Amino acid sequence: MRVKSTDLTSLFEKALLDVPQNELEQIGVVVQTGDGICHVYGLNKAVYGGLVDFENGNRGIIFDLTEDSVAIFVLYKNIPVAEGEVVRKVEGVFEAPVGEELLGRVINAIGAPLDGLDPLKTKETRAVEVLPASIIEREKVNEPLETGIISVDALVPIGKVQRELIIGNRNTGKTAMAIDTILNQKGKGVYCIYVSIGQRQAKLARIIKTLEEHDALDYTVVVSADSSESVLNQYLAPYVGCSIGEHFMYNGKDALVVYDDLSNHAIAYREMSLLMRRSPGREAYPGDVFFLHARLLERSGKLLKGGSLTALPIVQIQADDITAYIPTNLISITDGQIFLDTRLFKKGNRPAVNVELSVSRVGGAAQTPAVKMLSKSLRLELAQYNELLNFAQFGTELDEISQKIIERGHVAVEVLKQAQYETYTFVDEVLLLFLLQKNFLDKVELKQVQVFVTQFISYVQSVYSQEYKKIEKDAAIDDAMNKQLKTIATEFRKIFVPA
Ligand SMILES: Nc1ncnc2c1ncn2[C@@H]1O[C@H](COP(=O)(O)OP(=O)(O)O)[C@@H](O)[C@H]1O
Ligand SMILES: [Mg+2]
């Protein structure tokens, strides 16, 4: 006898009459699976972002709801999902482990340790997608986040809570800048979270080693979804990192989160969207890719009752094109950007901050007063310098004033050079800017400028430690200190021995 499928359906329907309706609505059956995504029939009470458990032990998150099926991405790559498998809705949403127990640990996006150490001892979890703090709960930017990188602290200062984008081609020192900023938070009470998205494993291993060697892992959490992980994990990683940081913020702590990088994040989401057969838009990204990053970055903030979350998202561009889709979105979401320039990097001007294309929309309000005072005119001077430099390339004869600007610019560029892993305290930065602004470097040979300034810092630190400490305490320079620094610099210039 041939059984028609409609007969079967009605038979099933009859058999299920006794089962309470709401229980039936909570389960479904996998009808199609592959590439980390599966389509499930049933689950009538499904909600976007909801969690489900699979019969064979996998777990998934609901991403798409259509009239007759639900699209689910699975969390565990190595647990197979079969067609016909039963799926059950789970209460709650996807949560990440949070808390100080995570410091020093490397975890993946689903909260499993990757460092081969003991299981996590965290006691709390936090939803990875939550609404940001309301405006009423928030405090304005009034404290600097010191990067220890003079070109940033002087020219594109970052305030606590700020979202400052680091943008540039590959190999321009984007990761290096973020890592140096983390290294500089040592002893400053800022907890750091480094989120690695879609990078190669070897690169991440090097970064973890760097953090370890500089004792920075003690106050840092690493969340990693490398390029070998599922697109879902790469998609989740920044939200997980954000929740970890947010937990610190709501507990009155200052936290800094680095997203390295959001280009890879957008690519992972694009792949997910294509798998869900959503219609692709510009550059094949789905229409909601703006919201993807907006809702992540608006969770940075500073609370009235203390606690802050600062974000350094990184975006990689191609052939200097900052007008591509994802970079322009991110530029409009963030409070400014640091543009790292291949041309400058190749010339040896590292960190390769392009001053004209970099901006900080709020950080100036939080800049340390002494640094602010001494770097006020620097931006303009560098802009004039760069303009004249372009001009001079054509062999144009320059007048005396222009020549002076170029000479001073050359010196400034030297002062702003800084090796990787070598961060300055703000007092060091004050001393450097002082030498530059008060023309103490004018007669120093260009290739001796770095030697001069670093030796000067050591000199003040050892011979004039009282003055060094006073600047540290005051965070400003009064007339008396101004005079004193002039005397010290004059004295040092006499005893300086070029290397
Ligand atoms: N300030 C610097 N001085 C010298 N070398 C640097 C500096 N910043 C980065 N580098 C080097 O440049 C290379 C690329 O840096 P990286 O941060 O990985 O670039 P990106 O993240 O932009 O691709 C690395 O080998 C790094 O060590
Ligand atoms: Mg990088």
Side-chain angles (χ1 to χ4, degrees):
M1 184 186 86
R2 272 178 58 119
V3 185
K4 272 202 263 159
S5 60
T6 40
D7 297 341
L8 261 184
T9 316
S10 61
L11 271 178
F12 275 134
E13 269 171 3
K14 225 181 257 166
L16 292 171
L17 267 184
D18 298 337
V19 185
Q21 190 61 27
N22 58 348
E23 235 172 80
L24 267 184
E25 284 170 339
Q26 313 281 350
I27 59 170
V29 177
V30 177
V31 288
Q32 197 191 12
T33 172
D35 291 325
I37 187 176
C38 58
H39 294 274
V40 169
Y41 177 78
L43 285 174
N44 291 348
K45 282 275 169 68
V47 289
Y48 176 83
L51 280 180
V52 295
D53 274 345
F54 291 79
E55 215 178 345
N56 293 337
N58 215 327
R59 179 163 264 211
I61 303 177
I62 299 168
F63 271 87
D64 208 22
L65 304 156
T66 57
E67 218 169 295
D68 46 31
S69 81
V70 195
I72 296 170
F73 278 90
V74 297
L75 288 172
Y76 305 101
K77 223 176 146 181
N78 39 17
I79 305 179
V81 172
E83 276 166 27
E85 196 172 333
V86 173
V87 180
R88 190 173 294 275
K89 185 171 174 262
V90 184
E91 279 313 309
V93 290
F94 184 70
E95 300 200 337
V98 293
E100 295 190 2
E101 297 87 353
L102 286 174
L103 296 171
R105 302 300 305 261
V106 182
I107 60 168
N108 66 9
I110 36 187
L114 293 174
D115 47 14
L117 303 175
D118 295 339
L120 300 182
K121 295 197 178 64
T122 46
K123 294 176 207 77
E124 287 176 76
T125 57
R126 183 177 176 84
V128 300
E129 293 250 24
V130 293
L131 287 176
S134 72
I135 303 281
I136 300 162
E137 289 174 272
R138 294 186 188 224
E139 164 79 291
K140 64 175 191 294
V141 189
N142 53 12
E143 241 185 297
L145 183 107
E146 291 166 5
T147 65
I149 302 166
I150 186 166
S151 47
V152 176
D153 292 341
L155 297 166
V156 253
I158 302 174
K160 280 189 182 153
V161 40
Q162 193 165 340
R163 298 146 308 171
E164 184 80 7
L165 183 67
I166 300 177
I167 183 169
N169 295 342
R170 64 186 283 267
N171 275 328
T172 48
K174 301 184 298 300
T175 300
M177 177 166 277
I179 294 296
D180 280 348
T181 306
I182 291 181
L183 300 186
N184 197 50
Q185 302 315 309
K186 189 168 165 184
K188 291 195 167 70
V190 178
Y191 289 160
C192 302
I193 303 116
Y194 177 76
V195 184
S196 164
I197 311 151
Q199 293 197 69
R200 276 181 289 118
Q201 242 163 8
K203 243 186 191 169
L204 181 71
R206 256 201 313 275
I207 289 166
I208 294 168
K209 192 153 163 273
T210 304
L211 292 171
E212 228 164 13
E213 282 169 359
H214 290 83
D215 299 321
L217 213 46
D218 303 344
Y219 56 86
T220 304
V221 186
V222 177
V223 180
S224 158
D226 64 50
S227 51
S228 69
E229 297 224 28
S230 70
V231 279
L232 174 64
N233 287 18
Q234 293 183 43
Y235 162 85
L236 285 173
Y239 299 104
V240 169
C242 185
S243 287
I244 294 171
E246 223 171 31
H247 176 83
F248 289 141
M249 170 173 82
Y250 280 107
N251 282 287
K253 299 277 190 308
D254 290 326
L256 163 72
V257 57
V258 173
Y259 304 113
D260 192 2
D261 60 47
L262 293 185
S263 335
N264 287 339
H265 186 235
I267 289 168
Y269 187 59
R270 176 167 69 185
E271 198 173 324
M272 287 173 74
S273 299
L274 292 174
L275 284 167
M276 288 186 278
R277 298 193 199 99
R278 288 194 185 152
S279 48
R282 187 173 157 194
E283 292 179 28
Y285 288 104
D288 61 343
V289 75
F290 183 88
F291 182 50
L292 176 80
H293 291 149
R295 72 176 188 272
L296 172 72
L297 292 167
E298 70 187 3
R299 285 163 69 185
S300 302
K302 186 164 197 275
L303 302 178
L304 280 170
K305 58 179 168 60
S308 70
L309 179 63
T310 309
L312 289 181
I314 296 177
V315 65
Q316 184 154 305
I317 53 173
Q318 261 141 35
D320 299 319
D321 185 11
I322 56 170
T323 63
Y325 190 26
I326 303 299
T328 37
N329 279 352
L330 284 166
I331 285 171
S332 70
I333 295 166
T334 48
D335 309 302
Q337 74 275 346
I338 299 170
F339 181 73
L340 298 178
D341 196 321
T342 304
R343 200 175 38 90
L344 296 173
F345 192 87
K346 286 198 176 137
K347 242 167 87 180
N349 297 359
R350 305 177 190 176
V353 180
N354 178 322
V355 181
E356 277 108 81
L357 290 177
S358 300
V359 56
S360 167
R361 292 192 194 100
V362 287
Q367 212 173 8
T368 311
V371 177
K372 188 171 184 161
M373 188 184 90
L374 290 166
S375 57
K376 227 185 307 177
S377 55
L378 188 56
R379 228 190 134 85
L380 184 67
E381 279 179 34
L382 283 169
Q384 289 174 331
Y385 162 72
N386 285 322
E387 201 171 313
L388 284 171
L389 210 57
N390 289 337
F391 208 56
Q393 270 178 354
F394 301 114
T396 326
E397 286 261 336
L398 293 175
D399 58 81
E400 212 170 300
I401 297 171
S402 304
Q403 243 150 29
K404 192 90 205 140
I405 293 174
I406 288 202
E407 273 163 35
R408 276 186 63 84
H410 283 325
V411 178
V413 166
E414 285 305 311
V415 171
L416 296 177
K417 283 186 187 170
Q418 195 171 343
Q420 211 179 342
Y421 315 130
E422 293 193 359
T423 55
Y424 290 126
T425 68
F426 86 82
V427 187
D428 297 344
E429 293 177 349
V430 166
L431 295 176
L432 295 195
L433 294 167
F434 184 87
L435 291 178
L436 181 64
Q437 208 206 33
K438 311 288 179 204
N439 305 327
F440 279 98
L441 300 167
D442 287 6
K443 300 227 163 52
V444 182
E445 230 188 299
L446 271 187
K447 51 179 205 297
Q448 294 296 335
V449 167
Q450 273 288 321
V451 187
F452 188 97
V453 296
T454 40
Q455 282 190 16
F456 181 68
I457 292 173
S458 314
Y459 183 70
V460 179
Q461 275 172 349
S462 51
V463 184
Y464 292 94
S465 59
Q466 289 308 316
E467 284 74 7
Y468 192 93
K469 285 195 190 109
K470 188 171 179 345
I471 301 174
E472 190 168 21
K473 190 171 128 278
D474 297 350
I477 293 186
D478 55 17
D479 284 347
M481 183 56 79
N482 197 26
K483 246 191 216 143
Q484 208 163 356
L485 280 179
K486 270 188 188 159
T487 317
I488 300 172
T490 313
E491 180 184 300
F492 179 76
R493 200 158 56 175
K494 281 187 203 135
I495 58 165
F496 171 67
V497 197

